[in-house]
Each structure stands twice: as C-alpha cells, then as structure tokens.
Amino acid sequence: GENVEQHPSTLSVQEGDSAVIKCTYSDSASNYFPWYKQELGKGPQLIIDIRSNVGEKKDQRIAVTLNKTAKHFSLHITETQPEDSAVYFCAARLGYQKVTFGTGTKLQVIP
Amino acid sequence: GAVVSQHPSWVICKSGTSVKIECRSLDFQATTMFWYRQFPKQSLMLMATSNEGSKATYEQGVEKDKFLINHASLTLSTLTVTSAHPEDSSFYICSARVGSLDGYTFGSGTRLTVV
C-alpha cells in the first residue's frame, strides 16, 4: 500500500515569514495529493490539492508543488499569520478511493 | 459547499456499553464514506470504507465486529463502537467524497471517552 512521510513534525515561524512542509510518497501510481489543515478538536479541512498531471498550484498565500519523478510534494505558505497556526496533513490517493495521510506538521506562527 | 455533519461531537460512556456515531451528507449524496480514527498528536488512520447498500470494507487490524458500520442511505453512515473499552477512547472522524470531485469533505469529529 501507499506510505506517506511528512517533515518536519513541528515548525515555528515568525509572522510574515514563509513556511514549507514536505512530503514523500511511495507508490508512483498515486494520482491525487490533498493538503489538510486541522485545528484542535476539529475535523481536517482541505486547503489545497494537486493532481498528478500538474506540477504546481497556487491559491493566494498557499501553493503546492509536485515532483512526480522524485515522489515529493510540498506545501508553501507565504506571509504567515497567527491564524495559520494548526496541524497540517499531506495525503496521497492511490487509485480512486483510499487516501493515506502523512504524520502531520504542527505549525506555530509567532506574532 | 459540501457539508458532512457528524454527531455527537463528544460522548462519554461506560465500559461495556455501545456508542453510535452518525455522519450525514447534508447537501449531496455520498455513495462512499470513510471512517478514521485519530489518537492525540497522531495522524488519521483509515478504519473502514463504507459503501451505500453494501458491506463495509475494513482495513487490516480493525475488528469488524467491534466497529460496526452501516451505510443504509446515500446521506447517512453510522459507526457503532460495541462493548466499548477505555482503549477505544479516541477521536473518530468520517469523510465523504463529493460527487466526481477529487476533494474529500470531513465531518467535525467525535471525541469518544470510555470510562
């Protein structure tokens, strides 16, 4: 099955700086890579996603890049704000249904 | 946007009793729903995939007799934790895929505490 690794496990940045979270996946057949933000005691919320036929996608301050050859994908958050503080999960979908999550990154944005 | 409503948000039950968690898709039909379990400061682990009108598919290591899943309609899936024990205490989350879109919408989660 698919295996997703995520780094770092914790990340502290100053407000206004950029944050980068990296993930690797094991199965080259994975075709969809979503990123989720989870606040304490709540379910994950999709913040951005990318399909395997696209190398980069951007939505305002958030961007995701995908390197299929290296089986890497990354989340980039620019101009971080305190409300960006949360746990972020990357995920990879193998086939059409099952999604495997990374181990999570706790992002702290220091005002 | 697509909303998955999950209830209850938290529940405390005595050891040996059963607890039912409901997930409803409010403005779309969910042929398939997924049930996850999340321990504190850990990732989401898929427990089972629930398909409307058929038996759920459980992940390896998940006891199907303990975690009963029913998906009787296109808008409702339930997870029943039977004969709950303290080690079943966890955060349970459901999700559904919205139509032909790639995205998965998650419920708000249920914090189960077994005492």
Side-chain angles (χ1 to χ4, degrees), chain B residues 39-56:
Chain B
F39 290 105
K41 298 183 180 181
Q42 293 191 24
S43 188
L44 287 78
M45 299 301 297
L46 181 65
M47 299 174 64
T49 301
S50 157
N51 295 293
E52 185 267 336
S54 64
K55 291 184 178 181

Side-chain angles (χ1 to χ4, degrees), chain A residues 6-74:
Chain A
Q6 182 172 346
H7 300 279
S9 57
T10 60
L11 179 60
S12 291
V13 299
Q14 292 290 332
E15 182 177 358
D17 288 350
S18 295
V20 180
I21 302 170
K22 298 181 178 181
C23 288
T24 62
Y25 60 100
S26 61
D27 198 316
S28 57
S30 288
N31 58 8
Y32 173 67
F33 306 92
W35 285 88
Y36 291 91
K37 176 183 181 182
Q38 186 178 29
E39 297 178 341
L40 191 63
K42 297 183 180 180
Q45 283 191 310
L46 178 70
I47 56 171
I48 196 167
D49 56 8
I50 192 167
R51 301 199 71 183
S52 57
N53 58 349
V54 176
E56 184 174 359
K57 184 177 178 180
K58 189 174 182 180
D59 183 4
Q60 298 183 355
R61 297 187 296 110
I62 296 173
V64 57
T65 59
L66 172 65
N67 183 328
K68 284 181 60 179
T69 303
K71 291 186 281 188
H72 289 173
F73 58 115
S74 300

Side-chain angles (χ1 to χ4, degrees), chain A residues 31-32 34 36 38 41-46 49 51 89 93 96-104 106, chain B residues 32 34 36 38 41-44 46 51 59 91 93 97 99-104 106-109 111:
Chain A
N31 58 8
Y32 173 67
Y36 291 91
Q38 186 178 29
K42 297 183 180 180
Q45 283 191 310
L46 178 70
D49 56 8
R51 301 199 71 183
F89 290 97
R93 186 182 68 194
Y96 202 56
Q97 298 275 27
K98 184 175 175 178
V99 173
T100 301
F101 284 82
T103 48
K106 184 176 181 179
Chain B
T32 303
F34 305 90
Y36 293 85
Q38 185 178 33
K41 298 183 180 181
Q42 293 191 24
S43 188
L44 287 78
L46 181 65
N51 295 293
E59 295 300 301
F91 193 55
I93 313 170
R97 185 164 170 270
S100 61
L101 300 177
D102 278 324
Y104 294 77
F106 283 81
S108 53
R111 171 73 59 195

Side-chain angles (χ1 to χ4, degrees), chain B:
Chain B
V3 175
V4 173
S5 176
Q6 183 172 347
H7 293 282
S9 56
W10 60 271
V11 58
I12 301 174
C13 71
K14 290 185 177 181
S15 187
T17 61
S18 295
V19 173
K20 180 184 285 188
I21 301 169
E22 291 189 351
C23 269
R24 294 182 183 273
S25 56
L26 295 187
D27 47 4
F28 67 100
Q29 293 183 330
T31 306
T32 303
M33 282 195 177
F34 305 90
W35 287 94
Y36 293 85
R37 183 175 183 177
Q38 185 178 33
F39 290 105
K41 298 183 180 181
Q42 293 191 24
S43 188
L44 287 78
M45 299 301 297
L46 181 65
M47 299 174 64
T49 301
S50 157
N51 295 293
E52 185 267 336
S54 64
K55 291 184 178 181
T57 302
Y58 291 81
E59 295 300 301
Q60 190 173 8
V62 177
E63 299 176 60
K64 58 183 66 177
D65 293 332
K66 180 163 195 60
F67 299 101
L68 299 180
I69 291 173
N70 184 278
H71 194 158
S73 79
L74 287 171
T75 58
L76 174 64
S77 178
T78 61
L79 167 66
T80 301
V81 183
T82 62
S83 186
H85 289 94
E87 56 266 30
D88 298 325
S89 298
S90 189
F91 193 55
Y92 293 88
I93 313 170
C94 64
S95 78
R97 185 164 170 270
V98 184
S100 61
L101 300 177
D102 278 324
Y104 294 77
T105 298
F106 283 81
S108 53
T110 298
R111 171 73 59 195
L112 170 64
T113 302
V114 184
V115 298

